[in-house]
Amino acid sequence: MAEYDVVIGLEVHVQVKTNSKMFCSCANRYGEEPNTLVCPVCMGYPGVMPVPNKEAIDKTVVAGLMLDCEIAKYSKFDRKSYFYPDMPKNYQISQYDLPFCEHGKVKIGGNKGFSGKDLPPKEIGLTRIHLEEDVAKLTHFGTYSGVDYNRAGVPLMEIVSEPEIATADEAYAYLTSIKQIMQYAKIGNCDMEKGQMRCDVNISLKPKGSSEFGTKIEIKNLNSFRAVHKSIVYEIKRQRRGYDNGETFQQETRGWNDDRGETYLMRTKESAHDYRYFPEPDLLPVTFTDEDVEKVRVTLSEAPLAKQARFIADYNLTDYDAEVLTQNREVADYFDAGAVLVDTPKLLANWIISELLRELSEANISIDECKIVPQQLADMIKLIENKTISGKIAKKVFSEMFSSGKDAKVIVEEQGLVQVTDESAIEKFVIEAIENNAPQVEQYKSGKTEVLKYFVGQVMKLSRGKANPQLVIELLKKNLD
Ligand SMILES: [Zn+2]
């Protein structure tokens, strides 16, 4: 069987989070009654004038800088003509030859791919990022269709990659990375279920090592990362089988049927669409000076990968800890705020990863809604560090903090949980445990030293969990030997 190279490029649409729409003052808000956020501009009435949204342009520049793009000194909007019910003007204001951002890159790898395997680090080139207006949302019912113009005119970024993605796992990692950066920089929420992030895949196969590209197949309207991954895996198999059987492909657009787990033909492209792009006559070109760009650059938030590297270097975390803590910006900020307050940031990281994130997911709330603020968790860590409480007692304290929001110190005092480090007090328990368990003492003396664990358990029970475990072991050994 012949071997093939897989060539994948992704077009990702991201709705920009702004107060108002791209060219009018209607609110940019998801989930309202259909057709309630509309005006003559976004409904395309004759004679209306668009006014560009500065917030959307600024955020597109931020996206470009976060993704290592060059920002155009001079760019413009263009009209893309097409006739369809989702676009009331019969043209969309978009950008054709002079987009805001070009030549960027997206770093992938390090993080787990869809299959849970580690991916080697790789950079995927970005061709461009341009800004346009979203179209209305069509919903198809049995015998009729509904159209909601609330979405028409919402600012929409299109991020186009170079055809440098080689596997479904890389595509998944690429999308994960884009989404993470958009959320870090507060450019968009990227909730795919709400259509705030949408993805088209271009995929072709060519004989291994060949410099000529195969026939490009487009898969449209994928609405989850999972669907992107599965459709790519499916398409690779389908095209490979075709080429192996000597078939030829023609350029076509396919859809994804999630229930059947397969792509299906939507339309073949006989010729390229003629959108008759021309410069939008109602809008001035947009210009940026170096100074403008630098002003934005200094406001950029730290990128997720940079944050990971800093956590490892400054706080002595493992790769795994740093990756988990930076997946979500709010969690990373939480850790950052607490880490400077404690002596052992690694201990804080462990508590966030193993306890806090678990409690949050069980309660189905975000870290911003958590009753324990970073300062409080840091205070609890300090109680462990200075041996006021043991790690075991801390679990009890933590769970109480999580539900009540009380300070660790208050809980420890209220419930009398201070760890006993007074030798004579612990020794009393040790002697009691030895006196009560003669058979185990025999076992220990005959060389079965593993019964020490049993004695530790007995002493902890007698002290109601408050004895310092290291001291317990020391004193047991002293009294048993
Ligand atoms: Zn409007």
Side-chain angles (χ1 to χ4, degrees):
M1 230 192 292
E3 289 213 53
Y4 302 96
D5 286 329
V6 177
V7 180
I8 301 166
L10 295 183
E11 285 168 23
V12 179
H13 281 101
V14 172
Q15 278 186 356
V16 185
K17 195 160 76 174
T18 51
N19 286 321
S20 55
K21 289 188 183 180
M22 188 62 226
F23 298 112
C24 63
S25 57
C26 291
N28 170 12
R29 209 160 49 227
Y30 178 86
E32 297 291 320
E33 276 293 300
N35 301 311
T36 54
L37 304 176
V38 292
C39 74
V41 176
C42 55
M43 291 300 291
Y45 282 24
V48 296
M49 292 292 271
V51 178
N53 182 334
K54 184 171 185 304
E55 191 186 7
I57 296 174
D58 287 348
K59 286 193 169 177
T60 304
V61 172
V62 168
L65 291 175
M66 292 291 287
L67 296 168
D68 280 326
C69 290
E70 290 160 23
I71 308 301
K73 298 280 145 49
Y74 179 94
S75 55
K76 64 176 170 64
F77 289 102
D78 299 275
R79 281 192 188 183
K80 178 182 179 181
S81 311
Y82 78 97
F83 185 78
Y84 202 64
D86 66 7
M87 190 67 259
K89 294 196 294 285
N90 292 331
Y91 63 85
Q92 178 187 30
I93 304 179
S94 180
Q95 295 192 284
Y96 183 53
D97 53 344
L98 296 171
F100 286 126
C101 320
E102 283 184 287
H103 312 304
K105 53 181 183 275
V106 177
K107 289 180 190 148
I108 63 165
N111 46 1
K112 303 252 185 293
F114 179 79
S115 325
K117 280 181 296 198
D118 274 330
L119 280 177
K122 181 172 171 180
E123 273 179 12
I124 308 293
L126 279 189
T127 314
R128 58 187 275 157
I129 305 176
H130 68 252
L131 185 60
E132 58 191 26
E133 53 181 337
D134 207 345
V135 296
K137 183 172 167 49
L138 291 173
T139 310
H140 303 289
F141 305 96
T143 53
Y144 66 100
S145 296
V147 56
D148 177 9
Y149 289 105
N150 286 357
R151 201 177 74 179
V154 165
L156 189 69
M157 273 184 338
E158 183 170 334
I159 304 171
V160 182
S161 85
E162 290 290 308
E164 294 176 353
I165 297 166
T167 64
D169 271 7
E170 282 185 9
Y172 187 88
Y174 171 88
L175 290 173
T176 306
S177 185
I178 296 239
K179 180 176 175 177
Q180 198 184 27
I181 287 168
M182 294 302 134
Q183 291 177 337
Y184 260 69
K186 303 193 189 305
I187 294 163
N189 290 336
C190 295
D191 186 336
M192 287 188 97
E193 278 179 18
K194 294 178 181 167
Q196 291 165 343
M197 185 174 181
R198 313 192 294 266
C199 182
D200 300 336
V201 173
N202 287 304
I203 176 168
S204 64
L205 262 56
K206 62 185 175 66
K208 201 167 186 62
S210 162
S211 57
E212 235 169 87
F213 286 108
T215 307
K216 197 166 78 178
I217 307 288
E218 186 179 31
I219 316 169
K220 271 240 173 259
N221 303 331
L222 293 158
N223 56 11
S224 72
F225 287 10
R226 207 184 112 269
V228 170
H229 190 275
K230 288 178 79 176
S231 66
I232 290 174
V233 170
Y234 176 87
E235 238 349 86
I236 293 172
K237 268 191 205 148
R238 187 185 74 88
Q239 291 181 31
R240 176 178 288 151
R241 200 167 45 230
Y243 283 120
D244 280 345
N245 294 335
E247 283 170 36
T248 52
F249 288 90
Q250 52 176 330
Q251 261 200 43
E252 60 187 35
T253 302
R254 301 180 71 84
W256 170 248
N257 184 323
D258 207 43
D259 296 329
R260 299 170 63 102
E262 57 189 37
T263 63
Y264 60 90
L265 179 67
M266 288 169 83
R267 55 181 179 267
T268 48
K269 267 189 186 164
E270 275 118 17
S271 60
H273 271 288
D274 185 1
Y275 290 120
R276 298 197 201 180
Y277 281 100
F278 64 90
E280 168 59 55
D282 290 341
L283 291 168
L284 287 169
V286 181
T287 56
F288 286 102
T289 62
D290 286 331
E291 215 182 8
D292 294 334
V293 174
E294 287 319 304
K295 260 189 210 156
V296 179
R297 199 189 298 277
V298 295
T299 67
L300 292 186
S301 36
E302 188 178 26
L305 284 175
K307 212 182 268 288
Q308 266 183 40
R310 180 168 61 83
F311 282 2
I312 293 166
D314 290 5
Y315 299 131
N316 220 354
L317 301 190
T318 62
D319 291 358
Y320 172 81
D321 293 339
E323 194 183 318
V324 174
L325 290 173
T326 54
Q327 255 163 29
N328 166 307
R329 169 153 181 193
E330 283 69 35
V331 174
D333 288 348
Y334 188 100
F335 170 74
D336 237 351
V340 292
L341 303 171
V342 299
D343 293 334
T344 40
K346 166 73 181 146
L347 186 60
L348 175 68
N350 292 349
W351 274 86
I352 293 176
I353 292 169
S354 59
E355 300 297 323
L356 186 61
L357 292 182
R358 183 180 51 75
E359 291 273 12
L360 290 171
S361 115
E362 275 170 20
N364 198 19
I365 56 172
S366 75
I367 201 158
D368 290 339
E369 301 164 283
C370 178
K371 284 184 186 159
I372 309 176
V373 299
Q375 169 82 51
Q376 285 176 300
L377 188 57
D379 285 343
M380 190 201 84
I381 298 294
K382 281 193 269 184
L383 292 181
I384 304 174
E385 284 171 344
N386 66 25
K387 299 198 163 59
T388 305
I389 55 174
S390 65
K392 199 171 170 191
I393 293 288
K395 286 204 175 166
K396 203 168 157 185
V397 174
F398 177 82
S399 140
E400 171 75 32
M401 286 171 80
F402 190 83
S403 51
S404 70
K406 279 187 193 168
D407 284 344
K409 260 197 187 131
V410 173
I411 297 166
V412 167
E413 273 164 27
E414 275 176 4
Q415 305 192 10
L417 297 173
V418 178
Q419 176 166 248
V420 179
T421 49
D422 172 3
E423 278 200 30
S424 62
I426 296 177
E427 196 154 30
K428 239 174 54 197
F429 296 129
V430 166
I431 290 166
E432 193 178 339
I434 291 175
E435 281 173 0
N436 292 346
N437 297 283
Q440 283 78 10
V441 175
E442 281 307 307
Q443 285 177 9
Y444 184 85
K445 295 207 158 145
S446 68
K448 285 185 90 182
T449 49
E450 64 267 26
V451 290
L452 193 69
K453 269 193 210 139
Y454 170 81
F455 282 109
V456 172
Q458 292 301 304
V459 175
M460 291 314 272
K461 212 186 225 170
L462 289 167
S463 74
R464 285 185 287 151
K466 290 188 284 185
N468 176 301
Q470 279 90 32
L471 271 178
V472 171
I473 293 171
E474 263 172 50
L475 291 170
L476 272 168
K477 281 186 178 161
K478 190 183 113 191
N479 283 279
L480 282 166
D481 290 340

